[in-house]
């Protein structure tokens, strides 16, 4: 399993089992557009805006904008995306998976429930296991059902800590601890239990105030919390980025003084809301391919636990063609260009942890290889690359 392999591929996926780390925001100037950013990983040690660009949310096109109200939440178990402008909540299919899984039918928009202030909601976060959409209006929080019409599952609760001059503008749920996190517009970070118990002194941290805009969202990285597998020794990624906040222009580590990660809103008017999802991170391929090389990915966001059955996919390659899936715990830093062909090799065949699987495309040029992540350790990281046999290339 360590024979030298020559790669002929147009794109490759860089992903982690249950922890391909991406965050998403709503473009403040273009309703119905979700901006995607890669969290630091072995493939992108310092993070990066997604090289594939934004993801459409057709139902969210009705929402008002630009706005600092509302928020964004993602149910990774069903690929549902919930967006709000503070007054309405929409449900969309995560169209990043459209090449691999048919879109689900989504319900019409629904009014956002009223909390204690009676005003617009200012943040949302999902707990798919419990079926809860957590909401805040800046001064209180509540659990709603994780499906339209989003009924409240109990009364709204006042926030269990004193707020400064700024209200909460974001809320999220941390699965590994069963607690809630929030950020206010000035960058104060709070952590409390669903039953209004502060977790230690509050605020937990204060992120230096951004220069241009207030903080508008918070997200918890479900892949690197307490009990998660540590980043591999070969990874050069930045530590942290477990709790993240945004001002709509940059992504901040809320708990560590890490460098910021840029966000690239298409409108140039910033973004709002923040949600984590275990989506693919892509590295660009290069080289000569006289046959369709295909487009790779997963059937849905990667997660372990209930509903963890997934599928490794490739679509649009040559029919009935032998394809290798190469994988390792880390990619070759920067990739290795093969001089004879110009192709980029991202996986080291001489690595002691290198492995591969032999697959064959079907009559449509597709691959669907089931992968059960149900019992995978949280945070287990590896990088993969498809290599498609291409007669006529210098090295096949």
């Amino acid at each position: 399993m360590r024979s030298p392999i020559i790669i002929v591929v147009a794109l490759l996926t860089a992903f982690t089992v249950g922890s391909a780390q991406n965050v998403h925001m709503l473009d403040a100037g273009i309703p119905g557009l979700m901006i995607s950013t890669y969290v630091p990983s072995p493939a992108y040690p310092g993070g990066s805006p997604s090289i594939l660009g934004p993801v459409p949310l057709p139902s969210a096109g009705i929402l008002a904008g630009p706005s600092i109200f509302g928020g964004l939440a993602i149910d990774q178990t069903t690929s549902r995306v919930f967006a709000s402008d503070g007054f309405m909540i929409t449900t969309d299919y995560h169209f990043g998976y459209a090449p691999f899984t048919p879109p689900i039918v989504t319900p019409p928009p629904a009014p956002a429930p009223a909390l204690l202030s009676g005003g617009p909601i200012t943040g949302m976060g999902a707990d798919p296991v419990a079926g809860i959409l957590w909401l805040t209006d800046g001064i209180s929080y509540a659990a709603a059902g994780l499906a339209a019409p989003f009924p409240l599952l109990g009364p709204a609760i006042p926030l269990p800590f004193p707020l400064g001059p700024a209200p909460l503008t974001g809320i999220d749920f941390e699965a590994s601890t069963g607690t809630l996190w929030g950020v206010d517009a000035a960058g104060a970070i709070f952590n409390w239990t669903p039953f209004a118990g502060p977790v230690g002194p509050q605020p937990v941290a204060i992120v230096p105030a951004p220069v241009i805009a207030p903080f508008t969202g918070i997200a918890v990285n479900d892949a690197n919390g307490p009990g998660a597998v540590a980043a591999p020794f070969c990874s050069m990624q930045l530590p942290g980025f477990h709790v993240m906040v945004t001002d709509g222009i940059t992504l901040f580590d809320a708990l560590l003084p890490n460098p910021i990660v840029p966000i690239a809103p298409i409108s140039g008017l910033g973004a709002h809301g923040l949600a984590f999802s275990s989506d693919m991170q892509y590295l660009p391929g290069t080289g000569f391919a006289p046959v369709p090389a295909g487009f790779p990915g997963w059937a849905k966001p990667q997660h372990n636990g209930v509903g963890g059955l997934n599928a490794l996919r490739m679509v649009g390659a040559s029919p009935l063609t032998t394809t290798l899936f190469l994988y390792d715990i880390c990619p070759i830093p920067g990739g290795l260009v093969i001089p004879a062909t110009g192709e980029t090799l991202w996986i080291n065949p001489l690595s002691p942890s290198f492995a591969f699987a032999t697959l064959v495309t079907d009559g449509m040029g597709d691959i669907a290889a089931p992968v059960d992540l149900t019992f995978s350790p949280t945070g287990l990281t590896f990088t993969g690359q498809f290599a498609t046999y291409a007669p006529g290339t210098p090295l096949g």
Side-chain angles (χ1 to χ4, degrees):
M1 297 184 67
R2 298 182 192 167
S3 301
I5 305 293
I6 302 303
I7 307 305
V8 180
V9 69
L11 280 176
L12 63 92
T13 53
F15 57 82
T16 55
V17 177
S19 60
Q21 302 169 50
N22 289 251
V23 290
H24 303 278
M25 294 134 280
L26 298 171
D27 192 312
I30 307 178
L33 203 62
M34 186 168 72
I35 305 303
S36 304
T37 298
Y38 298 154
V39 177
S41 69
Y44 288 89
S48 168
S50 168
I51 67 169
L52 298 184
V55 176
L57 300 177
S59 295
I62 69 154
L63 300 178
S67 172
I68 64 170
F69 299 133
L72 188 70
I74 297 177
D75 176 358
Q76 298 180 70
T77 65
T78 63
S79 300
R80 291 178 300 172
V81 181
F82 305 99
S84 177
D85 58 4
F87 304 95
M88 301 293 293
I89 301 176
T90 60
T91 306
D92 277 290
Y93 171 74
H94 190 330
F95 273 91
Y97 294 90
F100 317 114
T101 304
I104 59 176
V105 177
T106 55
L115 306 190
L116 291 186
S117 72
I121 62 171
T122 59
M124 304 192 303
D127 175 7
V129 174
I132 291 174
L133 182 66
W134 289 101
L135 305 172
T136 182
D137 62 352
I139 65 169
S140 67
Y141 70 101
L146 192 63
F150 310 104
L152 290 182
L153 304 179
I157 303 172
L159 292 167
F161 40 78
L163 286 168
L168 284 195
T169 55
I171 189 172
D172 202 9
F173 178 78
E174 181 180 21
S176 58
T177 62
T179 62
L180 296 165
W181 288 84
V183 62
D184 70 13
I189 309 299
F190 304 93
N191 185 209
W192 71 101
T193 71
F195 300 102
V199 180
Q202 304 296 314
V204 175
I206 298 178
V207 181
V211 175
I212 301 176
F215 288 96
T216 59
I218 188 168
V220 178
N221 184 339
D222 292 324
N224 64 358
V229 175
F233 69 92
C234 52
S235 172
M236 298 181 295
Q237 72 190 69
L238 297 171
F241 286 90
H242 176 54
V243 178
M244 299 163 282
V245 294
T246 184
D247 61 352
I249 301 168
T250 48
L251 182 71
F252 299 80
D253 187 327
L255 304 181
L256 293 177
N258 268 320
I260 61 176
V261 176
I263 295 168
I266 301 301
S267 69
L269 297 178
H272 69 104
L274 192 65
F276 172 85
S277 186
S278 297
D279 301 333
M280 297 82 71
Q281 291 186 357
Y282 286 94
L283 289 163
T286 58
F288 171 71
V291 296
F295 187 75
W298 288 94
K300 66 177 184 176
Q302 303 147 66
H303 66 90
N304 54 13
V306 177
L309 182 63
N310 210 320
L312 187 64
R313 295 295 318 273
M314 184 158 71
V315 297
S318 294
L320 306 176
T321 301
T322 299
T323 299
L324 297 178
F325 180 68
L326 318 177
Y327 56 99
D328 201 352
I329 57 175
C330 281
I332 297 173
L336 176 64
V337 177
I338 302 170
T341 64
E343 294 140 9
T344 302
L345 180 65
W346 290 99
I347 305 299
N348 181 6
L350 302 180
S351 166
S353 51
F354 164 76
F356 69 88
T358 302
L359 306 167
V360 178
T361 60
D362 63 18
M364 299 296 293
D366 299 344
I367 288 172
V371 179
D372 193 349
L373 307 177
T374 302
F375 299 104
S376 297
T378 299
L380 179 65
T381 301
F382 66 93
T383 302
Q385 178 170 12
F386 279 103
T388 302
Y389 175 65
T393 59
L395 296 173

